[in-house]
């Protein structure tokens, strides 16, 4: 597939890397030659310097032969306009990054009038994930399968967990009414797709698929406190903060925002009457202690500087009982962050790349089960995908016990008629099921790819 990307900042670079790794032909347009040189050093892409709304430049970059056109520059206006121009010269899919809340609220209008396939908002995605984690403070990550009550949750196993020293099979036997499946684990540098005899150890990070209610039941069975955060302190008044505060106030939470810039303080005070806005340095430890950190249930640093967010998160984690959720923009810092033992880390740019990669893969997949949702974990070492089964899937109505699944792969669950089904040997994939696959196998591109053959 031929992909043309406008903008090679952090989002564009991460997206280009993802698409190249998935085997697509990628061209990139950006106004900065330095940015283009940097991306060309790392990736096999074609680069073109200039404005993404320049018709001649788009033609030079091959817009007429483009299958998917993705505009993720820092300007919403350029993104929308370049997509509109691209639609005039190619029968391509168009995706625009739109961050401004005013434009984002009109997403349906822009999609209809400009023929956009999708509008992506990394800041809104990040705010949604942070909001979800604040409802489940015991978790380090929570992702939602859209339109369902099924979630993927990750938790760090501390000495408080009762599951330590028990196998997954034993854990399920002790709580047979909880429909949840542990589908991945990280132990040190090792990524594991576990079987029933996997024994949980302190320090493990385990990922499971279940409904929200079953996640709550599982956490309760482990004796871990999990009261949703009521008093939230946020530092940094950017776009993510805007979307997050809107969500939190809608649930009646108490929110305190600390921001250096006086104009931003005024703006947030006017937009959100029930949000306490304080002018000050959100990275100053004494200032935080003076203005309510000891009373906070959660702390969310959202400044524009990753290093500031990481340093203050480390301090807050050691100085308070608050749940700490850290926003990090640079995806190349993921290895470093894993050594710091932070509570939860959100990468908005990586989330955006995952959503677009999911869309591209769905369009490019063969018959028998296209990807509907895609999440990448642990620097892309694990993929968790939801595939929609259709009548073209060769192994419909075949019990799992009779399927020879490929290595490094597990079927983590089925969603059938809105109900979550924990798979067992007698279960089978039926037409229109959503099938949740967890794998470290990069060759899995569609549901058809999960089966090596049938037994017997």
């Amino acid at each position: 597939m031929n992909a043309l990307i406008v903008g090679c900042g952090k989002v564009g670079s991460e997206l280009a890397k993802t698409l190249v790794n998935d085997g697509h032909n990628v061209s990139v347009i950006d106004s900065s030659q330095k940015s283009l040189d940097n991306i060309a050093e790392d990736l096999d892409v074609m680069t073109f310097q200039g404005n993404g709304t320049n018709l001649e430049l788009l033609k030079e970059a091959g817009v007429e032969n483009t299958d998917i056109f993705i505009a993720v520059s820092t300007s919403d206006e350029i993104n929308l306009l370049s997509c509109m121009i691209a639609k005039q010269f190619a029968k391509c899919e168009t995706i625009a990054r739109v961050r401004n809340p005013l434009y984002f609220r009109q997403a349906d209008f822009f999609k209809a009038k400009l023929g956009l396939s999708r509008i992506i908002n990394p800041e809104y995605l990040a705010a949604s994930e942070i909001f979800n984690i604040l409802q489940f403070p015991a978790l380090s990550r929570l992702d939602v399968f859209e339109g369902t009550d099924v979630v993927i949750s990750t938790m760090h196993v501390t000495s408080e967990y009762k599951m330590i020293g028990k196998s997954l099979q034993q854990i399920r036997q002790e709580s047979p009414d909880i429909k949840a499946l542990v589908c991945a684990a990280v132990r040190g540098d090792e990524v594991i797709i576990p079987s029933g005899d996997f024994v949980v150890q302190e320090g493990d990070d385990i990922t499971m698929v279940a409904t929200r209610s079953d996640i709550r039941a599982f956490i309760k069975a482990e004796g871990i406190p999990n009261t949703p955060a009521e008093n939230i302190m946020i530092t940094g008044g950017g776009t993510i903060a805007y979307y997050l505060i809107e969500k939190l106030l809608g649930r009646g939470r108490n929110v305190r925002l600390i921001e250096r810039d006086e104009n931003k303080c005024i703006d947030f005070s006017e937009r959100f009457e029930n949000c306490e806005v304080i002018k000050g340095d959100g990275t100053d430890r004494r200032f935080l202690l003076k203005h309510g950190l000891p009373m906070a249930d959660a702390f969310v640093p959202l400044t524009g500087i990753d290093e500031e967010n990481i340093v203050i998160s480390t301090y807050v984690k050691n100085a308070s009982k608050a749940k700490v959720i850290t926003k990090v923009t640079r995806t190349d810092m993921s290895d470093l962050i894993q050594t710091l033992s932070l509570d939860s880390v959100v990468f908005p740019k990586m989330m955006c790349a995952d959503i677009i990669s999911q869309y591209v893969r769905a369009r490019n997949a063969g018959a028998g089960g296209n990807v509907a949702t895609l999440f990448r974990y642990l620097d892309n070492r694990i993929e968790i995908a939801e595939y929609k089964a259709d009548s073209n899937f060769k192994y419909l109505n075949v019990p799992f016990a009779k399927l020879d699944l490929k290595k490094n792969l597990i079927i983590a669950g089925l969603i059938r008629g809105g109900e979550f089904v924990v798979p067992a040997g007698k279960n089978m994939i039926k037409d229109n099921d959503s099938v949740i696959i967890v794998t470290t196998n990069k060759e899995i591109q569609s549901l058809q790819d999960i089966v090596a053959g049938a037994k017997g």
Side-chain angles (χ1 to χ4, degrees):
M1 182 179 291
N2 297 319
L4 178 54
I5 301 173
V6 174
C8 68
K10 294 182 178 70
V11 173
S13 297
E14 182 66 24
L15 178 57
K17 176 183 175 182
T18 300
L19 293 177
V20 168
N21 289 340
D22 282 349
H24 302 293
N25 301 316
V26 178
S27 298
V28 181
I29 294 174
D30 196 274
S31 57
S32 168
Q33 187 61 52
K34 182 179 179 180
S35 297
L36 292 172
D37 291 340
N38 288 338
I39 196 172
E41 284 183 10
D42 298 329
L43 299 173
D44 182 16
V45 298
M46 296 288 291
T47 61
F48 301 87
Q49 194 271 331
N51 190 304
T53 62
N54 184 322
L55 177 56
E56 294 304 317
L57 182 62
L58 289 174
K59 287 182 177 180
E60 182 184 349
V63 68
E64 293 165 309
N65 297 314
T66 294
D67 299 303
I68 186 160
F69 184 93
I70 307 163
V72 288
S73 78
T74 56
S75 167
D76 289 352
E77 291 82 4
I78 287 178
N79 294 339
L80 291 167
L81 181 56
S82 63
C83 281
M84 182 183 73
I85 295 172
K87 289 293 288 187
Q88 305 304 310
F89 291 92
K91 294 180 180 179
C92 60
E93 305 288 330
T94 52
I95 298 176
R97 174 194 187 188
V98 174
R99 299 184 297 172
N100 188 313
L102 175 63
Y103 293 159
F104 189 60
R105 288 195 183 92
Q106 303 174 71
D108 290 339
F109 172 83
F110 285 123
K111 286 171 67 177
K113 295 300 181 182
L114 302 182
L116 295 172
S117 304
R118 185 152 191 170
I119 285 179
I120 298 293
N121 187 333
E123 287 72 17
Y124 182 81
L125 291 172
S128 297
E129 179 163 341
I130 294 169
F131 177 79
N132 287 334
I133 295 172
L134 290 173
Q135 312 312 305
F136 290 84
L139 305 178
S140 57
R141 178 170 174 176
L142 183 70
D143 291 305
V144 180
F145 289 104
E146 191 174 348
T148 77
D149 193 39
V150 181
V151 299
I152 309 167
S153 64
T154 299
M155 59 191 74
H156 182 71
V157 179
T158 65
S159 58
E160 300 170 297
Y161 280 77
K162 298 176 182 178
M163 69 173 76
I164 293 174
K166 298 178 182 178
S167 69
L168 298 183
Q169 185 177 11
Q170 183 180 353
I171 294 169
R172 289 187 64 180
Q173 289 173 343
E174 291 179 354
S175 304
D177 295 331
I178 299 177
K179 296 191 295 182
L181 182 75
V182 176
C183 58
V186 177
R187 181 171 292 163
D189 293 330
E190 186 180 9
V191 178
I192 304 165
I193 303 293
S195 58
D197 59 2
F198 175 83
V199 177
V200 178
Q201 296 180 7
E202 182 179 351
D204 288 348
D205 288 289
I206 61 171
T207 297
M208 64 173 56
V209 178
T211 63
R212 290 175 185 268
S213 59
D214 280 315
I215 290 294
R216 288 192 183 92
F218 184 89
I219 294 171
K220 183 177 181 180
E222 290 298 318
I224 305 301
N226 189 50
T227 304
E230 290 288 339
N231 301 302
I232 298 98
M233 179 177 283
I234 300 170
T235 61
T239 308
I240 295 177
Y242 174 91
Y243 289 120
L244 179 58
I245 291 170
E246 190 174 55
K247 287 176 175 290
L248 290 170
L249 294 180
R251 286 290 185 92
R253 304 294 192 251
N254 302 314
V255 183
R256 178 172 295 175
L257 172 68
I258 297 174
E259 167 56 48
R260 292 188 182 100
D261 186 271
E262 184 173 355
N263 290 329
K264 285 188 177 181
C265 288
I266 294 171
D267 183 44
F268 272 85
S269 296
E270 291 176 348
R271 288 174 183 266
F272 303 108
E273 293 181 1
N274 296 324
C275 175
E276 183 180 356
V277 181
I278 302 173
K279 182 179 181 297
D281 185 356
T283 65
D284 185 318
R285 301 174 185 181
R286 292 182 180 178
F287 187 88
L288 292 177
L289 291 172
K290 178 181 177 181
H291 289 279
L293 178 60
M295 303 300 294
D297 299 319
F299 180 84
V300 187
L302 297 174
T303 77
I305 302 174
D306 288 343
E307 291 79 6
E308 285 189 357
N309 292 339
I310 293 169
V311 169
I312 201 62
S313 292
T314 303
Y315 165 72
V316 171
K317 187 174 185 295
N318 294 320
S320 74
K321 295 181 179 180
K323 170 72 176 183
V324 182
I325 305 175
T326 310
K327 186 268 290 186
V328 177
T329 302
R330 289 172 52 190
T331 58
D332 60 354
M333 299 184 74
S334 58
D335 289 340
L336 169 64
I337 288 167
Q338 288 180 33
T339 68
L340 299 178
S341 300
L342 298 176
D343 281 352
S344 298
V345 182
V346 173
F347 293 91
K349 314 307 181 188
M350 197 175 294
M351 295 169 66
C352 181
D354 284 353
I355 292 289
I356 296 175
S357 179
Q358 162 196 315
Y359 186 90
V360 173
R361 185 178 295 183
R363 187 183 184 280
N364 200 43
N370 290 341
V371 65
T373 311
L374 175 68
F375 301 106
R376 286 181 165 128
Y377 281 61
L378 302 168
D379 201 21
N380 291 346
R381 288 187 288 172
I382 290 180
E383 286 191 357
I384 301 178
E386 173 197 5
Y387 293 93
K388 290 291 288 186
D390 60 32
S391 59
N392 293 307
F393 180 56
K394 288 167 54 178
Y395 300 98
L396 284 181
N397 305 314
V398 178
F400 291 145
K402 293 186 177 182
L403 291 180
D404 181 17
L405 298 177
K406 291 184 179 178
K407 293 181 179 180
N408 301 317
L409 177 151
I410 188 172
I411 298 176
L414 304 173
I415 303 175
R416 180 177 296 155
E419 295 292 322
F420 178 67
V421 179
V422 176
K426 64 181 180 180
N427 291 124
M428 59 189 70
I429 298 172
K430 297 184 178 181
D431 190 13
N432 208 38
D433 279 354
S434 288
V435 186
I436 301 170
I437 302 297
V438 180
T439 184
T440 58
N441 187 339
K442 300 300 183 182
E443 296 179 358
I444 306 301
Q445 297 289 309
S446 73
L447 189 58
Q448 209 77 260
D449 294 335
I450 72 171
V451 182
K455 300 176 182 177

